[in-house]
Amino acid sequence: MGLRFQQLKKLWLLYLFLLFFAFFMFAISINLYVSSIQSYDAEPRHPKPPPKRRSLWPYKNIVAHYIGKGDIFGNMTADDYNINQFEPKQGEGADGRPVIVPPRDRFRMQRFFKLNSFNILASDRIPLNRTLKDYRTGECRDKRYANSLPNTSVIIVFHNEAWSVLLRTITSVINRSPRHLLREIILVDDASNRSFLKRQLEAYIQVLAVPTRLYRMKERSGLVPARLLGAQHARGDVLTFLDAHCECSRGWLEPLLARIGESREVVICPVIDIISDDNFSYTKTFENHWGAFNWQLSFRWFSSDRKRQTTANTKDSTAPIATPGMAGGLFAIDRKYFYEMGAYDSDMRIWGGENVEMSFRIWQCGGRIEISPCSHVGHIFRSSTPYTFPGGMSEVLTANLARAATVWMDDWQYFVMLYTAGLSLSARDKVNVTDRLALREKLQCKPFSWYLETIWPEHFFPAPDRFFGRIIWLDGETECTQAYSKHMKNLPGRALSREWKRAFEEIDHKAEEFMSLIDLERDKCLRPLHDNVPRSSLQPVTVGDCTSHAQTMDMFVITPKGQIMTNDNVCLTYRPPKQGALKLLRNRNATISNVMLTQCAIEPSQQWTYDMDTQQISHRETKLCLTLKSATNARNHKVEKVVLSMECNFKDITQKWGLIPLPWRM
C-alpha cells in the first residue's frame, strides 16, 4: 500500500510538471505568433530606406505624443510615424459600407488612431476607387445641365494627411468628375514632415489622368495661406476647395458649376455627408440642412425649412438653399469673383474663423451663399484635431474670430467679445484690420443688422427689439428680487398689457439698477438641468447659481413673439405629458417634465407670455405657468429642482420670475 501511494504521488507530480510545461510552450508559441504578425504587418509596402547606423542610446526618438485612444501604448516612434500601411482588400468598404478591422489588428488600430484622429487601419483596407452609392434624389439624377458649364481647379490643402485618405480624395475627384469640367487638381502641402508625402507623393501624381500639381509651404502656415497659394496658381474658371479627407459621390460637380454659371456672385456648397472616423462608412445626410453660427461664432447645422433659389411658382426640390453661413471646408466660387470680394483675410492664422469672415462678407457685400441639394461630398468628421497650432489653438482661434467680429459685426462685435471664452473688449486693440475695413468701405457692404434681419431672420442673437439677459427665480430673499418685484408692482396700468414689448421697455428703463443688484451666487437663474448635454437632445430646466453654467445657456434672448431662446438655437418648449402622465407630474416625477429646452422652431409650443402684475411666465396656448418644483430623478433617485408648466396661482412664489438685462453692445 505504501509503495503504491508513493508511485501515485510521483505520477501525480509528473502530470503536474507536464501540464505546466505544455502551458509554458503554448504561451511561447502564442507570443511568437503575435510577434510574427506584427513584424509582417509593420513591413513597409514600398522600398525600404537604407539601413541606419544603430544609436548608442538604447531608446528610439519620440516624434509624436498623444493621449486618449491608445495611450496605453506610449508615444510614437519615427518608424511608426512615417510608416505607410496602405494594403487595400478587394470589396472592403464597397458602396460606403463599414470596414471591420480583424481582431488581431485591434491593438495597432487603437495605437495609430490618434495620429490622424481616425481609424487609419480601416482606411488602409479600402481601395482608392471604392464604389459609392448614388446619394442624389431621383429629381437630382434626372436633372440635365448645359454643355457650356465653366471648368474648375480643385484645390486640396493637406498637412500630414494619411496616404490612403488623401489619395482616395484625389481619386474620387477624378473618377466622379466629367473630364472636360475638371481642368486641374492643385495640392498644397502645408509643411508636412511625414516621409511618404515627399518624393513618393510627387511620383504618384505624375501618372494621374488629370493634370495635378503640388506646391509646398516653406513653414506651417495654416489653411488660409495655403489655399491662397493654391488659388494663386489656379487656371480654372471656378475655384473648388475641398478638404484632404473627403470622397466625392456621383454627380457632385455639375450642380456646383451650373449654379455659378447662372450667377458668378454665388458661393455654392455641396451637401456634406458623413464618413465615419471609426469604420469609414459613408452616411448620407439630409439635403435641407443649412448653416449659421452660435454666440461664440462656432458653425452649426440647422434643419428648418428655408426658401430655395428658384423663380418658378412650383416648388423645385433641386434648387439650392440659401444659407447664412458655410462650414468653409468645401465650396466653389468664381475665380475672378473670389479676388474681387477680397479672397481670404490673409492675416488669419492656421485655421478657424475664416468661414465666419467669408460668410458675413459675401452676404453683406452683395453675394449669396447656397447649398446645392444635388451635390453630395462625404467628409470625415473627427472628434478632435490631430494638427499642431503654432502659437496655441485658443490664441489663434480667438484672434481670428476677433478679426471677423471687428470688421463685420458692428454693435454685435461687443456681444461676441463679452461672452466668448478667451475674448475680451481689449482683443479689438490687438488686431490690425485697417485693410479689411477699407475693403468693406470699397465694396459698400451692408450693416450686420441687415444680415440678421434679412438673411437670417430666425437668428437667436440679441437685437434692439429683444430682451437679452438672465431669467431669475424671484424667491423674495435677495436684494435684486425684492427691487424687481417692487418695481413691477408699482407700475401704473401694468395689468393693461401683457405684451413682451411693454415688459422690455419697463425692464430697460431700470436696467442699470437691476444689473447692479443681482448677486450671481445668491440669485437663482433659469438654466439647463445638466451641463454638457448635446444641443440636439431634450434638456429639462432648473434654477441654479448664475455663475454655474459655463456654456452661456443661463442667458436668454426673448423675442417680441414670445420665444425664449438661448445659445445654439435652443428654445424653452412646452411638451404635453403623455396620456396618464399628468398624475405622475403632480407627484413630482422629473422624468416626465413638460418644459424642455429643444431646437427652436416657429410653433405654438415655444410661445410664452409675461404678466408684469404677477411676474408669471405662462405658455400662451395652454395658459400654464412656469413653476419650480422638487422632483425625484428616476435614474439616480436624487431630488432635483425642475421647472414645469402647471396651473397658474398668483400667490405661488414658485411661479415668480424676473428678467435681469445684461449688456451686449456699447
Side-chain angles (χ1 to χ4, degrees):
M1 290 290 293
L3 181 60
R4 184 173 297 178
F5 175 79
Q6 291 297 329
Q7 290 176 338
L8 290 174
K9 182 177 180 182
K10 289 179 180 180
L11 288 174
W12 177 246
L13 291 174
L14 179 61
Y15 289 151
L16 288 177
F17 173 79
L18 291 175
L19 183 63
F20 176 80
F21 182 78
F23 179 81
F24 178 75
M25 295 303 295
F26 177 78
I28 290 178
S29 64
I30 289 294
N31 185 56
L32 290 173
Y33 174 72
V34 172
S35 299
S36 66
I37 290 175
Q38 291 178 343
S39 299
Y40 171 78
D41 286 341
E43 287 184 2
R45 314 304 182 198
H46 305 279
K48 294 182 180 180
K52 298 179 181 179
R53 180 178 299 176
R54 180 172 295 184
S55 171
L56 296 177
W57 187 251
Y59 300 105
K60 296 183 179 180
N61 291 330
I62 300 300
V63 298
H65 300 264
Y66 63 95
I67 58 175
K69 290 188 178 180
D71 60 351
I72 60 173
F73 299 98
N75 296 307
M76 305 297 286
T77 66
D79 291 340
D80 293 328
Y81 187 63
N82 290 302
I83 191 173
N84 181 3
Q85 304 176 93
F86 177 54
E87 188 176 16
K89 310 294 182 183
Q90 186 176 2
E92 284 279 27
D95 294 333
R97 292 193 294 268
V99 173
I100 306 300
V101 175
R104 69 176 189 178
D105 292 329
R106 294 292 170 84
F107 287 135
R108 282 196 305 120
M109 177 185 75
Q110 293 178 340
R111 186 181 185 208
F112 282 92
F113 191 97
K114 275 295 176 177
L115 274 182
N116 295 94
S117 289
F118 52 65
N119 187 355
I120 183 60
L121 266 68
S123 177
D124 286 344
R125 297 176 64 88
I126 304 173
L128 298 183
N129 62 342
R130 83 151 157 180
T131 57
L132 292 177
K133 297 177 182 179
D134 191 338
Y135 298 101
R136 298 172 296 175
T137 63
E139 292 82 0
C140 288
R141 288 194 293 270
D142 294 339
K143 194 174 180 66
R144 297 293 176 262
Y145 299 95
N147 294 324
S148 57
L149 297 181
N151 61 42
T152 186
S153 299
V154 174
I155 300 173
I156 301 172
V157 172
F158 65 91
H159 172 70
N160 286 331
E161 191 60 84
W163 175 268
S164 58
V165 170
L166 174 61
L167 266 58
R168 194 174 301 111
T169 301
I170 298 170
T171 303
S172 71
V173 171
I174 295 174
N175 289 353
R176 300 192 179 104
S177 303
R179 182 63 188 86
H180 68 284
L181 299 180
L182 185 57
R183 177 157 185 174
E184 62 189 350
I185 297 175
I186 294 178
L187 304 178
V188 184
D189 175 14
D190 187 18
S192 299
N193 54 21
R194 303 181 80 172
S195 58
F196 55 76
L197 295 174
K198 303 299 183 182
R199 291 184 179 180
Q200 188 176 328
L201 179 61
E202 293 170 5
Y204 182 87
I205 65 175
Q206 294 298 318
V207 298
L208 294 177
V210 171
T212 303
R213 290 178 284 153
L214 173 62
Y215 299 92
R216 298 189 189 275
M217 305 293 290
K218 294 181 179 179
E219 59 182 10
R220 176 88 162 108
S221 303
L223 184 73
V224 169
R227 281 189 168 180
L228 287 173
L229 176 64
Q232 174 187 338
H233 292 281
R235 293 170 292 194
D237 302 322
V238 173
L239 304 177
T240 301
F241 294 99
L242 294 179
D243 284 341
H245 32 271
C246 294
E247 288 184 65
C248 302
S249 69
R250 193 179 309 172
W252 76 283
L253 185 58
E254 297 94 316
L256 306 182
L257 300 181
R259 185 67 184 109
I260 293 177
E262 294 172 356
S263 174
R264 64 185 297 270
E265 297 179 348
V266 169
V267 178
I268 187 75
C269 309
V271 175
I272 304 179
D273 295 332
I274 300 170
I275 300 175
S276 168
D277 61 348
D278 180 45
N279 58 35
F280 275 73
S281 60
Y282 190 112
T283 303
K284 175 185 175 181
T285 55
F286 297 111
E287 285 85 0
N288 65 341
H289 276 68
W290 53 275
F293 308 98
N294 69 3
W295 291 350
Q296 289 76 41
L297 300 185
S298 295
F299 181 81
R300 293 289 187 264
W301 289 110
F302 303 105
S303 59
S304 58
D305 290 337
R306 289 181 64 83
K307 292 182 179 179
R308 296 178 181 270
Q309 176 60 30
T310 177
T311 56
N313 293 327
T314 57
K315 203 169 184 179
D316 182 3
S317 62
T318 69
I321 301 170
T323 176
M326 63 176 177
L330 294 69
F331 68 94
I333 184 172
D334 180 273
R335 179 166 58 88
K336 293 180 180 179
Y337 184 66
F338 177 71
Y339 287 105
E340 290 172 12
M341 296 297 288
Y344 276 115
D345 181 349
S346 59
D347 287 325
M348 284 191 169
R349 296 186 296 147
I350 309 300
W351 174 86
E354 79 288 339
N355 61 322
V356 179
E357 193 272 344
M358 180 171 277
S359 297
F360 294 159
R361 172 163 45 90
I362 294 298
W363 277 114
Q364 291 175 236
C365 302
R368 292 182 60 85
I369 303 175
E370 298 173 352
I371 297 175
S372 172
C374 294
S375 174
H376 282 259
V377 177
H379 180 275
I380 301 175
F381 288 93
R382 299 180 276 206
S383 57
S384 62
T385 176
Y387 305 131
T388 58
F389 273 74
M393 181 185 294
S394 61
E395 291 79 2
V396 168
L397 181 57
T398 52
N400 289 352
L401 293 178
R403 294 185 64 82
T406 303
V407 175
W408 300 106
M409 294 188 71
D410 302 332
D411 280 348
W412 284 264
Q413 66 179 282
Y414 303 103
F415 172 68
V416 172
M417 304 291 182
L418 287 171
Y419 302 108
T420 298
L423 280 178
S424 64
L425 293 179
S426 62
R428 295 174 302 144
D429 303 325
K430 299 177 182 179
V431 295
N432 184 352
V433 293
T434 304
D435 291 345
R436 303 306 283 183
L437 289 173
L439 174 69
R440 176 173 176 171
E441 182 68 24
K442 173 187 174 182
L443 297 175
Q444 298 182 350
C445 304
K446 293 181 173 64
F448 192 72
S449 58
W450 172 89
Y451 170 83
L452 291 179
E453 294 166 6
T454 308
I455 305 306
W456 190 16
E458 60 269 69
H459 73 90
F460 47 92
F461 276 57
D465 65 338
R466 300 178 171 196
F467 166 83
F468 170 69
R470 289 188 167 95
I471 301 176
I472 67 170
W473 174 44
L474 300 177
D475 61 357
E477 295 182 358
T478 67
E479 189 177 6
C480 182
T481 62
Q482 291 174 1
Y484 184 92
S485 298
K486 181 179 179 181
H487 174 70
M488 286 298 175
K489 290 178 180 179
N490 290 333
L491 288 178
R494 61 188 181 277
L496 298 178
S497 174
R498 294 185 178 181
E499 295 297 323
W500 284 108
K501 183 179 179 182
R502 170 75 186 277
F504 298 161
E505 292 173 352
E506 294 297 340
I507 293 165
D508 185 64
H509 176 65
K510 302 283 287 185
E512 291 186 8
E513 179 183 347
F514 294 155
M515 284 187 287
S516 66
L517 292 176
I518 189 170
D519 186 330
L520 297 180
E521 294 182 355
R522 289 194 61 195
D523 285 296
K524 304 302 180 184
C525 288
L526 191 73
R527 63 178 181 86
L529 180 61
H530 305 294
D531 293 342
N532 302 319
V533 176
R535 65 190 182 95
S536 58
S537 62
L538 300 177
Q539 303 181 56
V541 287
T542 186
V543 297
D545 296 343
C546 298
T547 58
S548 62
H549 204 282
Q551 297 181 322
T552 66
M553 293 188 71
D554 58 358
M555 303 176 192
F556 291 87
V557 168
I558 303 178
T559 70
K561 294 182 179 180
Q563 274 191 303
I564 302 178
M565 322 169 83
T566 187
N567 196 10
D568 278 322
N569 195 43
V570 174
C571 282
L572 199 66
T573 307
Y574 173 78
R575 293 177 59 85
K578 296 180 180 179
Q579 188 175 8
L582 189 58
K583 183 177 180 180
L584 292 175
L585 182 62
R586 289 170 178 161
N587 289 334
R588 302 176 176 181
N589 190 317
T591 60
I592 53 142
S593 174
N594 59 1
V595 175
M596 295 283 182
L597 287 171
T598 65
Q599 288 293 291
C600 295
I602 302 175
E603 55 184 38
S605 65
Q606 295 181 353
Q607 293 179 355
W608 304 84
T609 301
Y610 188 64
D611 190 324
M612 291 185 291
D613 189 16
T614 63
Q615 295 94 58
Q616 291 171 313
I617 298 176
S618 60
H619 184 243
R620 186 169 298 176
E621 190 174 58
T622 65
K623 310 301 182 185
L624 298 176
C625 286
L626 286 187
T627 308
L628 182 63
K629 292 293 182 181
S630 295
T632 303
N633 189 309
R635 293 183 178 179
N636 54 27
H637 303 292
K638 291 183 178 179
V639 177
E640 301 170 327
K641 289 187 178 297
V642 179
V643 175
L644 312 171
S645 274
M646 304 187 73
E647 186 176 346
C648 296
N649 180 359
F650 71 92
K651 296 181 180 180
D652 189 349
I653 195 173
T654 65
Q655 296 183 352
K656 306 290 185 179
W657 304 94
L659 310 180
I660 308 302
L662 292 174
W664 64 270
R665 58 177 176 170
M666 298 296 286

